[in-house]
Amino acid sequence: MNMASFAALHHLTLHYRLEGEGTPTLVFLNSLGSDLRIWDGVVASLEGRYRVLRYDLRGHGLSDAPVGPYTLEDHSADLLALLAHLGVPRAVLVGISVGGLIALDLARRQPERVEALVLCDTGARIGSQDSWNERIAAIQHKGLPEVARTVIARWFTEDFFVQRKAEAAGYYNMLSRTPVEGYLGTCAALRDGDLRPWLRSIRAPALVLCGELDKATPPELSQELAQGLGARLELIPQTAHLPCVEAPALVGQHIRSFLKELGYDR
Ligand SMILES: O=C(O)CC1=CCC(=O)O1
């Protein structure tokens, strides 16, 4: 059913979409300042082969934006509560950027709930304490719409801004209209979240994807992540931080090949 749905969990309300049939269930997690629509093209490319759950992280899209700061554990507890609400015992988690960190956090805390991981443009540690504190201060001082002008430049390639101008403007709107409390709360989760010590303990099979021109979470970070997890890294040509928007069909193809390797031949 491809329509907006809302789950009133005991602690907050999350916006989600559930579509498609069959196993496994794929759960898509968005990045900082985006929402579940960044996955539209990837989900379309999967052509209903799998059951797909997308949701807006707390503080994003149409989900509640409680007062921060948040932690990665707050985010992964939200996901667990949503899975329980929908009766999904186990899923393949597909997370981008902070969404990847949240997926990793769930995989280390509740390994039995995670069938596999697809980690896009992410790392076990993104940025530094200082870089996140600087971003938080800049937003408090200048506001999110101003800071978003710098941030969006890292989301897409230069070509995208020239050739897909209207989409670039639309995604700037998505980013700059993120609830500021939710954006700042999630910056704090990124500032305080470091999963490097846990990587080797994560046993779920994983695939790592990264835009070859990503400057926010560059390919070297993905390489470290893939090494730590014993996973394969695939670079997505001619894309930056959001290959799911710039090259959704290719991202979808990698997901399908990975699922095939895991025995899900659909
Ligand atoms: O906002 C950025 O600079 C890129 C990013 C880092 C974590 C995330 O989710 O997006």
mmCIF file of all heavy atoms in Angstrom, residues 30-34 57 60 96-101 121-122 126-127 132 135 150-152 154-155 175 183 186-187 190 214-217 241-242, ligand 1:
data_model
loop_
_atom_site.group_PDB
_atom_site.id
_atom_site.type_symbol
_atom_site.label_atom_id
_atom_site.label_comp_id
_atom_site.label_asym_id
_atom_site.label_seq_id
_atom_site.Cartn_x
_atom_site.Cartn_y
_atom_site.Cartn_z
ATOM 1 N N ASN A 30 16.724 7.067 6.201
ATOM 2 C CA ASN A 30 17.186 8.282 5.509
ATOM 3 C C ASN A 30 18.419 8.907 6.174
ATOM 4 O O ASN A 30 18.860 8.483 7.242
ATOM 5 C CB ASN A 30 16.045 9.309 5.385
ATOM 6 C CG ASN A 30 15.483 9.770 6.704
ATOM 7 O OD1 ASN A 30 14.625 9.108 7.283
ATOM 8 N ND2 ASN A 30 15.960 10.917 7.192
ATOM 9 N N SER A 31 18.938 9.935 5.516
ATOM 10 C CA SER A 31 20.124 10.647 6.011
ATOM 11 C C SER A 31 19.707 11.910 6.753
ATOM 12 O O SER A 31 18.528 12.301 6.748
ATOM 13 C CB SER A 31 21.028 11.019 4.828
ATOM 14 O OG SER A 31 20.320 11.890 3.954
ATOM 15 N N LEU A 32 20.668 12.563 7.360
ATOM 16 C CA LEU A 32 20.437 13.818 8.078
ATOM 17 C C LEU A 32 19.842 14.868 7.128
ATOM 18 O O LEU A 32 20.425 15.160 6.075
ATOM 19 C CB LEU A 32 21.780 14.321 8.636
ATOM 20 C CG LEU A 32 21.802 15.680 9.328
ATOM 21 C CD1 LEU A 32 20.997 15.641 10.626
ATOM 22 C CD2 LEU A 32 23.257 16.104 9.627
ATOM 23 N N GLY A 33 18.693 15.416 7.500
ATOM 24 C CA GLY A 33 18.106 16.508 6.720
ATOM 25 C C GLY A 33 17.307 16.053 5.505
ATOM 26 O O GLY A 33 16.900 16.883 4.695
ATOM 27 N N SER A 34 17.073 14.740 5.386
ATOM 28 C CA SER A 34 16.252 14.259 4.261
ATOM 29 C C SER A 34 15.055 13.498 4.834
ATOM 30 O O SER A 34 14.816 13.520 6.045
ATOM 31 C CB SER A 34 17.081 13.380 3.331
ATOM 32 O OG SER A 34 17.382 12.137 3.939
ATOM 33 N N LEU A 57 13.143 9.225 9.947
ATOM 34 C CA LEU A 57 13.778 9.222 11.264
ATOM 35 C C LEU A 57 13.111 10.269 12.142
ATOM 36 O O LEU A 57 12.596 11.284 11.645
ATOM 37 C CB LEU A 57 15.259 9.617 11.141
ATOM 38 C CG LEU A 57 16.175 8.760 10.278
ATOM 39 C CD1 LEU A 57 17.605 9.313 10.359
ATOM 40 C CD2 LEU A 57 16.145 7.301 10.709
ATOM 41 N N HIS A 60 12.600 14.255 11.509
ATOM 42 C CA HIS A 60 12.677 14.414 10.053
ATOM 43 C C HIS A 60 11.315 14.163 9.407
ATOM 44 O O HIS A 60 10.481 13.439 9.976
ATOM 45 C CB HIS A 60 13.708 13.442 9.465
ATOM 46 C CG HIS A 60 15.124 13.801 9.813
ATOM 47 N ND1 HIS A 60 15.637 13.638 11.065
ATOM 48 C CD2 HIS A 60 16.120 14.353 9.068
ATOM 49 C CE1 HIS A 60 16.901 14.068 11.087
ATOM 50 N NE2 HIS A 60 17.215 14.502 9.888
ATOM 51 N N ILE A 96 21.402 5.066 4.788
ATOM 52 C CA ILE A 96 22.363 5.993 4.182
ATOM 53 C C ILE A 96 22.809 7.019 5.218
ATOM 54 O O ILE A 96 21.991 7.577 5.955
ATOM 55 C CB ILE A 96 21.764 6.668 2.921
ATOM 56 C CG1 ILE A 96 22.823 7.558 2.246
ATOM 57 C CG2 ILE A 96 20.507 7.474 3.204
ATOM 58 C CD1 ILE A 96 22.540 7.845 0.788
ATOM 59 N N SER A 97 24.137 7.219 5.260
ATOM 60 C CA SER A 97 24.747 8.219 6.126
ATOM 61 C C SER A 97 24.347 7.982 7.581
ATOM 62 O O SER A 97 24.614 6.900 8.095
ATOM 63 C CB SER A 97 24.396 9.613 5.600
ATOM 64 O OG SER A 97 25.412 10.508 5.941
ATOM 65 N N VAL A 98 23.658 8.927 8.255
ATOM 66 C CA VAL A 98 23.305 8.621 9.646
ATOM 67 C C VAL A 98 22.375 7.413 9.698
ATOM 68 O O VAL A 98 22.393 6.651 10.677
ATOM 69 C CB VAL A 98 22.699 9.854 10.367
ATOM 70 C CG1 VAL A 98 21.285 10.150 9.906
ATOM 71 C CG2 VAL A 98 22.713 9.644 11.870
ATOM 72 N N GLY A 99 21.614 7.200 8.632
ATOM 73 C CA GLY A 99 20.744 6.010 8.575
ATOM 74 C C GLY A 99 21.564 4.724 8.615
ATOM 75 O O GLY A 99 21.141 3.710 9.185
ATOM 76 N N GLY A 100 22.762 4.752 8.029
ATOM 77 C CA GLY A 100 23.655 3.592 8.073
ATOM 78 C C GLY A 100 24.176 3.354 9.482
ATOM 79 O O GLY A 100 24.273 2.215 9.958
ATOM 80 N N LEU A 101 24.503 4.459 10.165
ATOM 81 C CA LEU A 101 24.982 4.331 11.553
ATOM 82 C C LEU A 101 23.895 3.739 12.447
ATOM 83 O O LEU A 101 24.170 2.933 13.332
ATOM 84 C CB LEU A 101 25.368 5.718 12.083
ATOM 85 C CG LEU A 101 26.827 6.121 11.911
ATOM 86 C CD1 LEU A 101 27.002 7.611 12.194
ATOM 87 C CD2 LEU A 101 27.712 5.326 12.861
ATOM 88 N N ASP A 121 27.095 5.344 1.739
ATOM 89 C CA ASP A 121 27.674 6.651 2.057
ATOM 90 C C ASP A 121 27.664 6.908 3.560
ATOM 91 O O ASP A 121 27.061 7.873 4.053
ATOM 92 C CB ASP A 121 26.929 7.757 1.289
ATOM 93 C CG ASP A 121 27.037 7.516 -0.210
ATOM 94 O OD1 ASP A 121 26.274 6.663 -0.724
ATOM 95 O OD2 ASP A 121 27.906 8.129 -0.839
ATOM 96 N N THR A 122 28.345 6.016 4.271
ATOM 97 C CA THR A 122 28.356 6.125 5.722
ATOM 98 C C THR A 122 29.689 5.647 6.262
ATOM 99 O O THR A 122 30.616 5.377 5.497
ATOM 100 C CB THR A 122 27.159 5.340 6.309
ATOM 101 O OG1 THR A 122 27.054 5.612 7.697
ATOM 102 C CG2 THR A 122 27.263 3.843 6.096
ATOM 103 N N ILE A 126 31.260 9.321 11.702
ATOM 104 C CA ILE A 126 31.175 10.355 10.666
ATOM 105 C C ILE A 126 31.529 11.701 11.293
ATOM 106 O O ILE A 126 30.922 12.108 12.287
ATOM 107 C CB ILE A 126 29.756 10.417 10.055
ATOM 108 C CG1 ILE A 126 29.396 9.079 9.393
ATOM 109 C CG2 ILE A 126 29.647 11.552 9.040
ATOM 110 C CD1 ILE A 126 27.977 9.022 8.818
ATOM 111 N N GLY A 127 32.507 12.382 10.741
ATOM 112 C CA GLY A 127 32.899 13.698 11.252
ATOM 113 C C GLY A 127 33.583 13.572 12.608
ATOM 114 O O GLY A 127 34.059 12.499 12.995
ATOM 115 N N TRP A 132 30.834 18.612 14.347
ATOM 116 C CA TRP A 132 29.385 18.643 14.639
ATOM 117 C C TRP A 132 29.039 19.812 15.559
ATOM 118 O O TRP A 132 28.008 20.463 15.389
ATOM 119 C CB TRP A 132 28.911 17.296 15.187
ATOM 120 C CG TRP A 132 28.939 16.253 14.099
ATOM 121 C CD1 TRP A 132 29.759 15.175 14.007
ATOM 122 C CD2 TRP A 132 28.139 16.256 12.890
ATOM 123 N NE1 TRP A 132 29.513 14.485 12.830
ATOM 124 C CE2 TRP A 132 28.533 15.122 12.138
ATOM 125 C CE3 TRP A 132 27.148 17.082 12.384
ATOM 126 C CZ2 TRP A 132 27.959 14.809 10.897
ATOM 127 C CZ3 TRP A 132 26.566 16.776 11.150
ATOM 128 C CH2 TRP A 132 26.972 15.656 10.427
ATOM 129 N N ARG A 135 28.833 22.802 13.387
ATOM 130 C CA ARG A 135 27.594 22.859 12.599
ATOM 131 C C ARG A 135 26.402 23.257 13.488
ATOM 132 O O ARG A 135 25.564 24.056 13.096
ATOM 133 C CB ARG A 135 27.315 21.525 11.904
ATOM 134 C CG ARG A 135 26.146 21.735 10.945
ATOM 135 C CD ARG A 135 25.821 20.608 10.035
ATOM 136 N NE ARG A 135 26.919 19.994 9.332
ATOM 137 C CZ ARG A 135 26.722 19.043 8.422
ATOM 138 N NH1 ARG A 135 25.485 18.690 8.099
ATOM 139 N NH2 ARG A 135 27.733 18.474 7.820
ATOM 140 N N THR A 150 25.465 25.298 2.153
ATOM 141 C CA THR A 150 26.773 24.629 2.096
ATOM 142 C C THR A 150 26.596 23.116 2.102
ATOM 143 O O THR A 150 27.290 22.394 1.373
ATOM 144 C CB THR A 150 27.615 25.005 3.350
ATOM 145 O OG1 THR A 150 27.393 26.369 3.653
ATOM 146 C CG2 THR A 150 29.066 24.715 3.154
ATOM 147 N N VAL A 151 25.659 22.665 2.928
ATOM 148 C CA VAL A 151 25.485 21.214 3.084
ATOM 149 C C VAL A 151 25.023 20.584 1.769
ATOM 150 O O VAL A 151 25.529 19.539 1.351
ATOM 151 C CB VAL A 151 24.483 20.920 4.228
ATOM 152 C CG1 VAL A 151 24.137 19.436 4.276
ATOM 153 C CG2 VAL A 151 25.055 21.379 5.572
ATOM 154 N N ILE A 152 24.065 21.227 1.097
ATOM 155 C CA ILE A 152 23.485 20.614 -0.120
ATOM 156 C C ILE A 152 24.545 20.465 -1.219
ATOM 157 O O ILE A 152 24.479 19.542 -2.034
ATOM 158 C CB ILE A 152 22.256 21.402 -0.630
ATOM 159 C CG1 ILE A 152 21.459 20.573 -1.653
ATOM 160 C CG2 ILE A 152 22.645 22.735 -1.266
ATOM 161 C CD1 ILE A 152 20.211 20.015 -1.163
ATOM 162 N N ARG A 154 27.286 19.253 -0.965
ATOM 163 C CA ARG A 154 27.945 17.945 -0.839
ATOM 164 C C ARG A 154 26.987 16.787 -1.133
ATOM 165 O O ARG A 154 27.425 15.650 -1.245
ATOM 166 C CB ARG A 154 28.513 17.784 0.587
ATOM 167 C CG ARG A 154 29.654 18.738 0.902
ATOM 168 C CD ARG A 154 30.310 18.361 2.217
ATOM 169 N NE ARG A 154 29.427 18.576 3.345
ATOM 170 C CZ ARG A 154 29.389 19.686 4.081
ATOM 171 N NH1 ARG A 154 30.202 20.684 3.819
ATOM 172 N NH2 ARG A 154 28.554 19.787 5.107
ATOM 173 N N TRP A 155 25.699 17.067 -1.233
ATOM 174 C CA TRP A 155 24.744 15.974 -1.483
ATOM 175 C C TRP A 155 24.856 15.444 -2.915
ATOM 176 O O TRP A 155 24.663 14.264 -3.156
ATOM 177 C CB TRP A 155 23.314 16.467 -1.262
ATOM 178 C CG TRP A 155 22.855 16.488 0.170
ATOM 179 C CD1 TRP A 155 23.640 16.504 1.296
ATOM 180 C CD2 TRP A 155 21.494 16.489 0.637
ATOM 181 N NE1 TRP A 155 22.852 16.523 2.410
ATOM 182 C CE2 TRP A 155 21.531 16.519 2.049
ATOM 183 C CE3 TRP A 155 20.262 16.490 0.008
ATOM 184 C CZ2 TRP A 155 20.369 16.534 2.830
ATOM 185 C CZ3 TRP A 155 19.103 16.507 0.792
ATOM 186 C CH2 TRP A 155 19.169 16.517 2.182
ATOM 187 N N LEU A 175 15.785 19.714 2.700
ATOM 188 C CA LEU A 175 16.807 19.874 3.737
ATOM 189 C C LEU A 175 16.523 21.087 4.632
ATOM 190 O O LEU A 175 16.523 20.994 5.859
ATOM 191 C CB LEU A 175 18.177 20.011 3.049
ATOM 192 C CG LEU A 175 19.371 20.465 3.890
ATOM 193 C CD1 LEU A 175 19.612 19.515 5.058
ATOM 194 C CD2 LEU A 175 20.637 20.533 3.022
ATOM 195 N N TYR A 183 16.909 18.282 13.343
ATOM 196 C CA TYR A 183 18.217 18.343 12.685
ATOM 197 C C TYR A 183 19.324 18.451 13.746
ATOM 198 O O TYR A 183 20.308 17.701 13.715
ATOM 199 C CB TYR A 183 18.257 19.527 11.715
ATOM 200 C CG TYR A 183 19.439 19.483 10.774
ATOM 201 C CD1 TYR A 183 19.327 18.918 9.506
ATOM 202 C CD2 TYR A 183 20.681 19.979 11.165
ATOM 203 C CE1 TYR A 183 20.412 18.851 8.645
ATOM 204 C CE2 TYR A 183 21.769 19.924 10.317
ATOM 205 C CZ TYR A 183 21.634 19.360 9.056
ATOM 206 O OH TYR A 183 22.727 19.295 8.218
ATOM 207 N N THR A 186 19.806 15.303 15.797
ATOM 208 C CA THR A 186 20.519 14.235 15.083
ATOM 209 C C THR A 186 21.989 14.599 14.880
ATOM 210 O O THR A 186 22.855 13.712 14.868
ATOM 211 C CB THR A 186 19.779 13.922 13.756
ATOM 212 O OG1 THR A 186 18.434 13.563 14.088
ATOM 213 C CG2 THR A 186 20.430 12.777 13.003
ATOM 214 N N CYS A 187 22.295 15.893 14.737
ATOM 215 C CA CYS A 187 23.725 16.297 14.723
ATOM 216 C C CYS A 187 24.399 15.845 16.026
ATOM 217 O O CYS A 187 25.545 15.379 16.019
ATOM 218 C CB CYS A 187 23.861 17.826 14.633
ATOM 219 S SG CYS A 187 23.525 18.501 12.997
ATOM 220 N N LEU A 190 25.213 12.246 15.882
ATOM 221 C CA LEU A 190 26.407 12.023 15.051
ATOM 222 C C LEU A 190 27.672 12.436 15.809
ATOM 223 O O LEU A 190 28.698 11.764 15.753
ATOM 224 C CB LEU A 190 26.282 12.815 13.746
ATOM 225 C CG LEU A 190 25.349 12.172 12.714
ATOM 226 C CD1 LEU A 190 24.743 13.208 11.781
ATOM 227 C CD2 LEU A 190 26.096 11.115 11.907
ATOM 228 N N ASP A 214 31.683 11.341 -3.407
ATOM 229 C CA ASP A 214 31.137 11.773 -2.117
ATOM 230 C C ASP A 214 32.217 12.475 -1.297
ATOM 231 O O ASP A 214 33.253 11.878 -0.985
ATOM 232 C CB ASP A 214 30.607 10.549 -1.357
ATOM 233 C CG ASP A 214 29.878 10.936 -0.073
ATOM 234 O OD1 ASP A 214 29.921 12.120 0.316
ATOM 235 O OD2 ASP A 214 29.259 10.044 0.537
ATOM 236 N N LYS A 215 31.961 13.732 -0.937
ATOM 237 C CA LYS A 215 32.929 14.471 -0.110
ATOM 238 C C LYS A 215 32.488 14.517 1.352
ATOM 239 O O LYS A 215 33.255 14.911 2.221
ATOM 240 C CB LYS A 215 33.089 15.898 -0.643
ATOM 241 C CG LYS A 215 33.774 15.927 -1.993
ATOM 242 C CD LYS A 215 34.132 17.354 -2.380
ATOM 243 C CE LYS A 215 34.816 17.377 -3.729
ATOM 244 N NZ LYS A 215 34.084 18.145 -4.734
ATOM 245 N N ALA A 216 31.232 14.183 1.634
ATOM 246 C CA ALA A 216 30.745 14.211 3.017
ATOM 247 C C ALA A 216 31.211 12.960 3.765
ATOM 248 O O ALA A 216 31.722 13.036 4.884
ATOM 249 C CB ALA A 216 29.221 14.297 3.032
ATOM 250 N N THR A 217 31.029 11.815 3.139
ATOM 251 C CA THR A 217 31.536 10.542 3.689
ATOM 252 C C THR A 217 32.283 9.869 2.531
ATOM 253 O O THR A 217 31.715 9.067 1.796
ATOM 254 C CB THR A 217 30.364 9.646 4.179
ATOM 255 O OG1 THR A 217 29.374 9.558 3.146
ATOM 256 C CG2 THR A 217 29.716 10.202 5.424
ATOM 257 N N HIS A 241 26.937 12.328 -2.380
ATOM 258 C CA HIS A 241 26.528 11.746 -1.098
ATOM 259 C C HIS A 241 25.192 10.994 -1.169
ATOM 260 O O HIS A 241 24.898 10.200 -0.289
ATOM 261 C CB HIS A 241 26.452 12.867 -0.043
ATOM 262 C CG HIS A 241 26.290 12.364 1.355
ATOM 263 N ND1 HIS A 241 27.162 11.463 1.939
ATOM 264 C CD2 HIS A 241 25.342 12.614 2.302
ATOM 265 C CE1 HIS A 241 26.770 11.201 3.176
ATOM 266 N NE2 HIS A 241 25.661 11.875 3.419
ATOM 267 N N LEU A 242 24.377 11.294 -2.183
ATOM 268 C CA LEU A 242 23.071 10.621 -2.264
ATOM 269 C C LEU A 242 22.902 9.858 -3.591
ATOM 270 O O LEU A 242 22.080 10.232 -4.436
ATOM 271 C CB LEU A 242 21.922 11.633 -2.100
ATOM 272 C CG LEU A 242 21.793 12.365 -0.766
ATOM 273 C CD1 LEU A 242 20.508 13.192 -0.717
ATOM 274 C CD2 LEU A 242 21.818 11.406 0.419
HETATM 275 O O1 LIG B 1 25.062 16.669 6.239
HETATM 276 C C1 LIG B 1 26.115 16.218 5.776
HETATM 277 O O2 LIG B 1 27.148 16.882 5.718
HETATM 278 C C2 LIG B 1 26.164 14.802 5.307
HETATM 279 C C3 LIG B 1 25.718 13.865 6.350
HETATM 280 C C4 LIG B 1 26.417 13.425 7.399
HETATM 281 C C5 LIG B 1 25.595 12.502 8.161
HETATM 282 C C6 LIG B 1 24.370 12.483 7.349
HETATM 283 O O3 LIG B 1 23.366 11.790 7.548
HETATM 284 O O4 LIG B 1 24.481 13.318 6.301
#
